[in-house]
Amino acid sequence: MPNENFKSYGATLLIMAGVIFLGLTFHWKFATWQIVDWIFIIILLFIGYILYNYKK
């Protein structure tokens, strides 16, 4: 895979984490979903950061 594909996938995951974070801060009322969303945000940020900075 070319590096620009990894960069676009990484940027997409980082944007998804940001959107979920905004939704989490404004709408969720259930504690269980907040925990799931925080875990999802952390995973997306980690994978997105790794892919965005991937160098082959």
Side-chain angles (χ1 to χ4, degrees):
M1 253 186 188
N3 285 347
E4 52 271 355
N5 283 347
F6 283 126
K7 195 165 189 123
S8 65
Y9 292 146
T12 302
L13 291 175
L14 292 172
I15 290 169
M16 284 175 55
V19 169
I20 293 171
F21 178 74
L22 288 176
L24 180 66
T25 57
F26 290 117
H27 296 291
W28 290 119
K29 302 291 184 213
F30 306 110
T32 304
W33 285 112
Q34 287 179 347
I35 294 169
V36 170
D37 283 344
W38 277 114
I39 292 170
F40 195 60
I41 288 169
I42 291 168
I43 291 169
L44 284 176
L45 285 172
F46 180 72
I47 295 172
Y49 180 77
I50 296 296
L51 288 177
Y52 189 78
N53 290 320
Y54 180 77
K55 292 178 179 58
K56 189 169 184 180

